[in-house]
Amino acid sequence: VCRSNKSPWVCLTCSSVHCGRYVNGHAKKHYEDAQIPMTNHKKTEKQEKVQHTVCMDCSSYSTYCYRCDDFVVNDTKLGLVQKVREHLQNLENSAFTSDRHRKRKLLENSSLNSKLLKVNGSTTALCATGLRNLGNTCFMNAILQSLSNIQQFCCYFKELPAVELRNGKTAGRRTYHTRSQGDNNVSLVEEFRKTLCALWQGSQTAFSPESLFYVVWKIMPNFRGYQQQDAHEFMRYLLDHLHLELQGGFNGVSRSVILQENSNLSGSNKCCINGASTVVTAIFGGILQNEVNCLICGTESRKFDPFLDLSLDIPSQFRNKRTKNQEGGPMCTLRDCLRSFTDLEELDETELYMCHKCKKKQKSTKKFWIQKLPKVLCLHLKRFHWTAYLRNKVDTYVEFPLRGLDMKCYLLEPENSGPESCLYDLVAVVVHHGSGVGSGHYTAYAAHEGRWFHFNDSTVTLTDEETVGKAKAYILFYVERQAKPGAEKL
């Protein structure tokens, strides 16, 4: 109808193909038009059953019933849905093969990539795997691609023992059948592990994270449906649930045994959120000191708060500066945002502090210090804020360093840190394109083996540092720089 090639959905009743609900919604209109003849006369019970119009997403191969407004996990007695899936997959694989040959020729003709091929010794190093969009799931894809390039975190999950959750009936089938395994057997850690293993193998152009998304639906009700979600909110829920599941043991192996085998992660780590330490807190966990001073009697209150990421305001004086090259006024930098976060501020009337000495709420000041820095510093720029009725986006360009972010001046006790222990290098950036939190699109830039890639759902392209530096960052992932051997002796 609209000649769109995005999100094709095929009707399994009549085989016609229409675009999905988040393009122009012609697949849904096709279903609604099919219902009109039935409204003119009384429906029999048999006709009632016929009206469950089922369609299939040609990208993820998931089947969907518009009447039930839910996904369908069962098949016909003859396995017809499975046959359609296999046919579509064969078509897609043949298309991928020809596309890969075309891309390989382009790579061989590129002097830059020919040089890279000689250094790395094979073409597989360039075969980064994209993640298919399952219907506005770019928020999830951008976070997964970013986390997959944090080597210490990613390797931990990839080295975990596999868990065979499927029973005998579904064993050996493709991953989209794992949604039939029932509510009690879903494992976020296992599906997260499978997704990370599928990336960077070079065996396919794009991977469908449908099984992981299904588990997300099961254990994180906030993310059910196909509306656009906030990538930062998803990242926090994902890390929190991975942390909780790892605490409960994994495949009969207790969490403590797993951490003992990876003692370099758990050693001297005191940052525990909701219980004992896991790989999540060992890598992303830091500790803030929150100082509050009563302005009336001078009483000081100190509190230590663990964190997995820091949410930074973009200072109000920079909010009209949208591009890097825009003239007029100073450029907003990441240091400005960090300084705004850690500077002394007077709490307003709505945030009066309950002073234990004065025995009532008083005016006070607040200041943050970082008591312990994490191995991976995750910085979230607060681009979305509420006005009277709307959640608007701050589209200001914030300049950020790709190397050598120095966090020493924000530490509570900087004198106790090593010469390079406070330096961080950028490994990934999540970018939000568009104007609103409930709309727009997410992509990610990430560094892998010294090269930068741009991850845009199924599409992965090589890029350069200059392009990354121009991005309007939403979430920044910095990895602690490893001190060189013998540096302390010098």
Side-chain angles (χ1 to χ4, degrees):
V1 177
C2 60
R3 306 189 73 81
S4 171
N5 62 353
K6 295 180 181 177
S7 186
W9 287 46
V10 57
C11 175
L12 298 187
T13 304
C14 67
S15 300
S16 60
V17 180
H18 294 86
C19 64
R21 63 173 74 188
Y22 294 107
V23 183
N24 292 308
H26 287 122
K28 187 177 182 184
K29 189 175 186 305
H30 171 69
Y31 156 73
E32 291 168 347
D33 291 345
Q35 308 307 301
I36 295 172
M38 295 302 300
T39 58
N40 298 327
H41 54 83
K42 189 176 180 181
K43 300 175 187 176
T44 65
E45 188 177 343
K46 189 174 181 180
Q47 287 171 325
E48 184 81 18
K49 291 180 180 178
V50 173
Q51 291 307 301
H52 286 270
T53 306
V54 178
C55 54
M56 182 182 288
D57 185 335
C58 299
S59 299
S60 65
Y61 310 127
S62 55
T63 49
Y64 187 82
C65 177
Y66 271 112
R67 177 166 183 171
C68 300
D69 197 24
D70 201 0
F71 283 95
V72 182
V73 299
N74 56 317
D75 204 340
T76 66
K77 291 179 180 179
L78 298 175
L80 296 177
V81 176
Q82 173 68 6
K83 287 179 181 177
V84 174
R85 282 194 179 110
E86 290 174 353
H87 180 63
L88 286 173
Q89 195 162 43
N90 288 335
L91 288 172
E92 190 175 30
N93 287 340
S94 62
F96 279 160
T97 303
S98 60
D99 188 49
R100 192 172 293 144
H101 285 312
R102 183 181 60 83
K103 286 183 177 178
R104 191 166 291 150
K105 285 182 180 179
L106 286 172
L107 290 173
E108 287 169 357
N109 293 332
S110 166
S111 59
L112 170 65
N113 291 326
S114 297
K115 192 174 178 181
L116 291 170
L117 288 174
K118 289 176 186 175
V119 172
N120 291 293
S122 68
T123 56
T124 54
L126 290 168
C127 294
T129 301
L131 286 168
R132 291 201 185 99
N133 193 315
L134 307 178
N136 277 336
T137 56
C138 55
F139 68 92
M140 178 177 76
N141 293 347
I143 294 297
L144 292 175
Q145 293 286 16
S146 298
L147 295 177
S148 78
N149 285 285
I150 298 171
Q151 293 304 313
Q152 206 173 5
F153 185 71
C154 180
C155 289
Y156 173 88
F157 286 93
K158 286 163 72 174
E159 290 169 7
L160 285 175
V163 177
E164 291 303 324
L165 293 174
R166 303 175 214 173
N167 57 33
K169 291 181 180 178
T170 57
R173 294 189 188 178
R174 291 187 176 87
T175 53
Y176 39 71
H177 278 289
T178 56
R179 71 165 61 237
S180 63
Q181 57 201 13
D183 294 358
N184 299 325
N185 289 329
V186 295
S187 167
L188 182 64
V189 171
E190 170 65 359
E191 294 304 335
F192 185 67
R193 183 193 71 79
K194 286 180 185 175
T195 303
L196 293 181
C197 288
L199 301 174
W200 294 106
Q201 289 184 340
S203 58
Q204 52 189 331
T205 308
F207 172 76
S208 178
E210 185 188 340
S211 296
L212 175 62
F213 195 41
Y214 170 68
V215 175
V216 167
W217 277 30
K218 285 290 181 185
I219 63 177
M220 306 180 204
N222 313 43
F223 298 97
R224 286 178 188 166
Y226 288 93
Q227 64 273 25
Q228 183 65 280
Q229 301 279 1
D230 184 274
H232 174 250
E233 187 181 358
F234 172 75
M235 182 196 75
R236 284 306 312 269
Y237 270 88
L238 177 69
L239 292 178
D240 286 345
H241 281 277
L242 287 171
H243 171 67
L244 289 171
E245 191 173 314
L246 285 168
Q247 281 183 314
F250 188 78
N251 192 23
V253 181
S254 73
R255 178 206 52 79
S256 58
V257 172
I258 295 170
L259 274 177
Q260 281 172 14
E261 293 173 357
N262 294 270
S263 56
N264 58 320
L265 296 178
S266 57
S268 72
N269 181 64
K270 297 177 183 177
C271 177
C272 302
I273 298 170
N274 298 326
S277 173
T278 66
V279 66
V280 176
T281 52
I283 288 181
F284 289 96
I287 300 174
L288 281 176
Q289 177 179 289
N290 184 358
E291 284 182 4
V292 180
N293 281 279
C294 176
L295 290 176
I296 307 302
C297 69
T299 300
E300 186 180 87
S301 172
R302 293 182 183 180
K303 187 173 69 170
F304 291 99
D305 297 315
F307 68 87
L308 293 179
D309 68 316
L310 297 177
S311 290
L312 311 177
D313 280 306
I314 296 173
S316 56
Q317 66 266 32
F318 298 110
R319 289 189 180 177
N320 293 324
K321 195 173 180 67
R322 300 191 171 227
T323 65
K324 184 173 183 177
N325 300 321
Q326 185 177 327
E327 295 181 3
M331 175 78 67
C332 181
T333 66
L334 187 59
R335 186 169 289 278
D336 291 319
C337 300
L338 283 164
R339 193 180 296 119
S340 175
F341 178 78
T342 54
D343 275 355
L344 187 73
E345 66 167 313
E346 186 173 331
L347 299 175
D348 60 32
E349 296 291 332
T350 61
E351 298 178 294
L352 291 178
Y353 163 67
M354 182 65 189
C355 179
H356 298 293
K357 190 173 181 181
C358 300
K359 304 294 183 186
K360 63 177 182 179
K361 290 186 176 182
Q362 300 283 32
K363 284 189 175 182
S364 55
T365 59
K366 180 181 72 173
K367 180 170 176 59
F368 284 120
W369 294 96
I370 298 175
Q371 199 263 341
K372 175 186 176 294
L373 282 165
K375 294 180 185 299
V376 174
L377 178 64
C378 178
L379 301 175
H380 160 234
L381 299 178
K382 292 158 79 170
R383 291 197 174 274
F384 300 105
H385 67 99
W386 287 99
T387 55
Y389 300 102
L390 298 171
R391 199 177 183 192
N392 291 332
K393 182 182 177 184
V394 179
D395 209 26
T396 302
Y397 170 77
V398 177
E399 191 173 49
F400 53 91
L402 271 68
R403 295 182 191 85
L405 173 65
D406 193 349
M407 295 295 293
K408 197 165 193 172
C409 59
Y410 310 110
L411 276 178
L412 183 64
E413 298 173 341
E415 65 277 3
N416 295 336
S417 59
E420 286 202 342
S421 61
C422 301
L423 292 179
Y424 286 81
D425 297 322
L426 190 70
V427 70
V429 187
V430 173
V431 182
H432 177 269
H433 312 265
S435 57
V437 68
S439 60
H441 183 58
Y442 288 98
T443 65
Y445 294 96
H448 186 83
E449 295 181 355
R451 286 166 290 154
W452 282 93
F453 290 83
H454 184 215
F455 298 91
N456 182 4
D457 288 335
S458 299
T459 306
V460 183
T461 52
L462 266 170
T463 187
D464 53 41
E465 291 185 354
E466 186 182 358
T467 303
V468 176
K470 290 177 181 177
K472 290 182 182 177
Y474 181 46
I475 305 171
L476 295 152
F477 296 88
Y478 282 92
V479 176
E480 183 182 39
R481 185 180 290 180
Q482 297 300 310
K484 295 174 183 177
E488 292 183 6
K489 294 178 183 177
L490 298 173

